[in-house]
Amino acid sequence: MPNSAGEIERTGANEAEVDGQRTLFTVAVRDYPDSEEGFAEGIDDQLSVVREWWSPFRHIAAPELQSRHDVERFLEQENVRETTGEALVLFVTGHGMAGKSQSHFLQLPQTDELRKLATAVRTSDIVTAALDSHAENVLVIVNTCYAGGLQSELAALYKEIQKSRRTKCKLDVLATCEHDAPVQVLRFSTVLRGVWNRLRTNAGITTPHLSVATLMAEFENELRTDAAKAKHRLHRVIDGSGQTRTTPCIPNPGFRLVRELVGIPRQQVATPADDYWLDRATGRAQEHDSGWYFRGRERLNRRLAAFLQPSQARGVLLVTGVAGSGKSAVLARAVTLSDPLFRENPLYKAALDQAEPDTVPPEGSVTTAVLARHRMAADVVADILHGLQLTPESPGSAQDAVAVWSAQLGHHLRTVQGPVTIVVDGMDEALEPHRIIDDVLAPLSAFCTPLPAAPAVPGQRRGAHQPAALRLLVGVRSSMPVIQGAAPAEEEHGLLDALCSAFPTAVVERTDDPLSGDDIVAYVHALICGDGRHRNTALEAAQEVSKLVWPSFLDARLAGEQLRSSDDPAAVVKEPQWRRMLQDGTTGLLQRDLILVADEGLPSDVALALLRASAYALGAGVPWSTIWPTMAGPFLGRPLENPDEMIEKLLRSRLNGYLAHDHEDERRVYRPAHERLAEKLRDMNLDLLGRKEPV
């Protein structure tokens, strides 16, 4: 089901519909005449968590098992050896016995220990019934005493399975204890349920299925201590899928099905950009917020919409301004509103209904949109190629990938029909911004330069042999224009100058002109009234905020979120201490929220340590798992206690608005919502916990 924001459906394993192509068999023996107290309840608890984890599977449970005949009848009647489909999971639990012949036996209530061959069942017979079935992928989990002893026995029997099946199918067997260790029924179910919960929350794994190696690693993470790991870790008896390959036999309970808000040509390859564009286009401060708060900027929006009209087939438009002044929001609005898939989404129809028609780009007018943030030149040009649905050519050993792929891009533009529009944002946050300009974008100048009007030729069809056309939209930070002879900040203005030099005919639009103050008023007003409250005082508060934060839409967003949760926004903005805090910009707003979050059960120093760890993360962000707590420890000055609880509180608190999320290496990752905020968090000279009392 879609969440309140509408863009994500959490289908995790436990919510999907039962799939006939996937089967779960459970073979559980519980009613031993001499079982210790609690044994049967422990078996039932194991079955409960297994059923919950594998709930999308068709579940076939063995009936009450008393004798060897009962097990053989179950295998025969349920046709286990002939089972087909995508996935077969077999879970075996009960008491096990190690025979003198090195065979492992499943003990049954009627088993005579002196006649194992006649009255018990060789566990390998049950396991191989699944392995040698017709299912494409098989996972067997044996949770019995001495289960590790199956390894040598199964290694020999595994050779009897056809080689084609062994090589094409993923066949895996796990044992829950060593060859000389008894099973602890309650321990396994407790740990497995903990792993299930970890995968739903802090593991942050984004694939629909898991690998066996990942399951084992998360199992060990849940065991926590070395002593527990040595005693209770999972053991791989048959390895048929390797370390990295996922298997449909292990559904990921934390999988989130991301609904495609924009079409593939506008999605990032390396880092899924849907949330990036959406967050900035809506102006929302929280991921779960479905509101559309982006207001104002009508002149800029009209300029971008006009630039994307069919009549404007060539050109370069540079959107620039100081940090936090809304460059990405303007570009993101154009990207999202031009996308056919987004325009069809009823959840965001309000965005189109609220917009003036001449501020909405034509449908399909943006061909591809990529982010340069934390990217090398090769990454950016590869992303552009992927966005154009091209596969980057393989460079030779002595060739430079950027040169090869830039040439490929140029060849494509010379042969493609119709105008192409490329959006590149976050240029100032790239790892190689000047090389991106010089080696990736500058060679495209010939396709962007407006053509002189050609004289009419009698008999020539209009538009024949029309040269390739490219529209280039680039977002880049720059310092404020020179005022009263002041020198510009060279390090911030250099990239804009380099782009203007590469594209002499480029048009520059600024997001920090004086008129943007009115846009901030409209934006903050929409944020404060987002939940239907404060309509009488919101305008007065928004006007005061605009005076204090202009030209920063970032600070306006943070201030609007604080005022939205207050009882009287107009009264808050009149308080001298709050105004002083707001004049400190991002720093002051963060200081206030760090103090207030302590009332929500999250210590301020812990919250700051977690935020700082995310600011220092490389790539797209920091994964939760065990990495985020480990990174936060040095900033806190001590190991982070109850790390999962603390991170969960952070993500549920008012500080969630300071974070953006992304996906990298099949993990959900977190980072500061804006590079300016990340810079503040990385500045260890800033005393962000200096205020003693909240305003």
Side-chain angles (χ1 to χ4, degrees), residues 339-642:
D339 188 87
L341 187 61
F342 187 88
R343 291 162 74 111
E344 293 174 0
N345 192 327
L347 292 167
Y348 296 100
K349 189 175 183 297
L352 287 169
D353 292 343
Q354 293 174 6
E356 292 293 332
D358 60 351
T359 69
V360 178
E363 184 173 341
S365 54
V366 173
T367 313
T368 185
V370 300
L371 302 176
R373 179 186 182 272
H374 291 184
R375 308 287 281 163
M376 306 287 282
D379 300 321
V380 171
V381 67
D383 287 350
I384 292 174
L385 290 173
H386 282 293
L388 297 173
Q389 302 184 56
L390 302 173
T391 301
E393 299 171 356
S394 298
S397 58
Q399 290 181 302
D400 175 54
V402 175
V404 171
W405 295 339
S406 292
Q408 183 182 356
L409 176 59
H411 174 74
H412 173 74
L413 293 175
R414 282 189 291 273
T415 58
V416 72
Q417 295 294 318
V420 172
T421 303
I422 299 174
V423 178
V424 182
D425 193 21
M427 181 66 68
D428 47 282
E429 300 175 44
L431 298 178
E432 294 181 311
H434 286 283
R435 191 174 187 208
I436 294 172
I437 295 172
D438 294 340
D439 296 347
V440 178
L441 300 183
L444 305 178
S445 179
F447 305 106
C448 303
T449 304
L451 297 174
V457 178
Q460 178 175 316
R461 182 167 56 89
R462 186 172 182 178
H465 308 296
Q466 179 71 30
L470 173 66
R471 294 180 298 215
L472 188 61
L473 260 169
V474 181
V476 61
R477 182 196 301 187
S478 69
S479 58
M480 292 284 270
V482 177
I483 299 176
Q484 297 180 351
E490 182 177 352
E491 69 278 4
E492 288 193 358
H493 218 68
L495 293 177
L496 178 61
D497 290 342
L499 284 164
C500 290
S501 177
F503 303 101
T505 60
V507 175
V508 179
E509 294 287 349
R510 297 199 66 89
T511 56
D512 53 10
D513 62 14
L515 294 177
S516 62
D518 294 336
D519 299 323
I520 290 178
V521 172
Y523 174 37
V524 176
H525 182 272
L527 277 174
I528 295 175
C529 298
D531 55 6
R533 300 191 303 149
H534 308 314
R535 295 193 181 279
N536 295 329
T537 60
L539 181 58
E540 179 184 354
Q543 290 171 337
E544 289 301 311
V545 169
S546 179
K547 294 175 185 177
L548 295 170
V549 304
W550 179 86
S552 175
F553 276 76
L554 171 63
D555 293 345
R557 178 171 73 86
L558 299 175
E561 186 69 10
Q562 290 189 2
L563 294 174
R564 182 179 184 173
S565 61
S566 69
D567 293 331
D568 187 350
V572 171
V573 297
K574 292 177 181 177
E575 295 175 3
Q577 191 175 356
W578 195 86
R579 295 174 67 88
R580 287 194 299 271
M581 175 273 299
L582 192 57
Q583 286 176 321
D584 287 341
T586 306
T587 302
L589 291 162
L590 178 56
Q591 285 177 326
R592 182 174 188 268
D593 279 332
L594 283 169
I595 294 171
L596 293 175
V597 80
D599 295 334
E600 302 172 22
L602 177 63
S604 300
D605 59 342
V606 171
L608 179 57
L610 290 168
L611 290 175
R612 278 189 159 144
S614 73
Y616 275 91
L618 300 176
V622 59
W624 183 341
S625 190
T626 58
I627 299 175
W628 201 352
T630 302
M631 289 184 63
F635 296 107
L636 188 60
R638 63 181 186 275
L640 181 59
E641 297 181 5
N642 303 317

Side-chain angles (χ1 to χ4, degrees), residues 175-197:
T176 63
C177 57
E178 288 276 17
H179 69 282
D180 56 355
V183 70
Q184 297 188 26
V185 292
L186 290 176
R187 181 63 173 174
F188 175 75
S189 58
T190 300
V191 176
L192 191 64
R193 192 178 299 278
V195 174
W196 185 77
N197 286 324

Side-chain angles (χ1 to χ4, degrees), residues 190-273:
T190 300
V191 176
L192 191 64
R193 192 178 299 278
V195 174
W196 185 77
N197 286 324
R198 285 177 62 84
L199 289 165
R200 285 172 56 86
T201 54
N202 61 326
I205 299 172
T206 59
T207 55
H209 304 106
L210 306 175
S211 68
V212 174
T214 298
L215 174 63
M216 295 176 70
E218 292 300 331
F219 200 90
E220 290 209 9
N221 287 336
E222 184 62 24
L223 289 170
R224 302 182 188 278
T225 67
D226 290 340
K229 292 175 184 178
K231 190 173 183 180
H232 301 292
R233 62 162 41 110
L234 296 178
H235 302 272
R236 202 159 189 174
V237 177
I238 295 292
D239 176 5
S241 60
Q243 293 296 307
T244 59
R245 292 201 302 169
T246 61
T247 169
C249 293
I250 313 178
N252 176 12
F255 172 61
R256 284 179 163 188
L257 177 62
V258 179
R259 299 181 60 193
E260 292 185 353
L261 293 173
V262 297
I264 292 175
R266 281 155 293 280
Q267 293 177 356
Q268 284 282 303
V269 174
T271 54

Side-chain angles (χ1 to χ4, degrees), residues 80-89 127-140 158-172 238-241 245 249:
V80 175
R81 293 182 176 87
E82 303 302 321
T83 297
T84 60
E86 180 188 27
L88 185 162
V89 174
V127 173
T128 54
L131 293 179
D132 205 22
S133 67
H134 300 294
E136 298 171 21
N137 305 280
V138 177
L139 171 67
V140 180
Y158 190 63
K159 298 175 184 177
E160 300 295 339
I161 297 175
Q162 295 182 60
K163 183 177 181 180
S164 60
R165 177 167 176 77
R166 286 188 277 118
T167 54
K168 293 180 180 179
C169 302
K170 300 169 187 173
L171 308 178
D172 295 281
I238 295 292
D239 176 5
S241 60
R245 292 201 302 169
C249 293

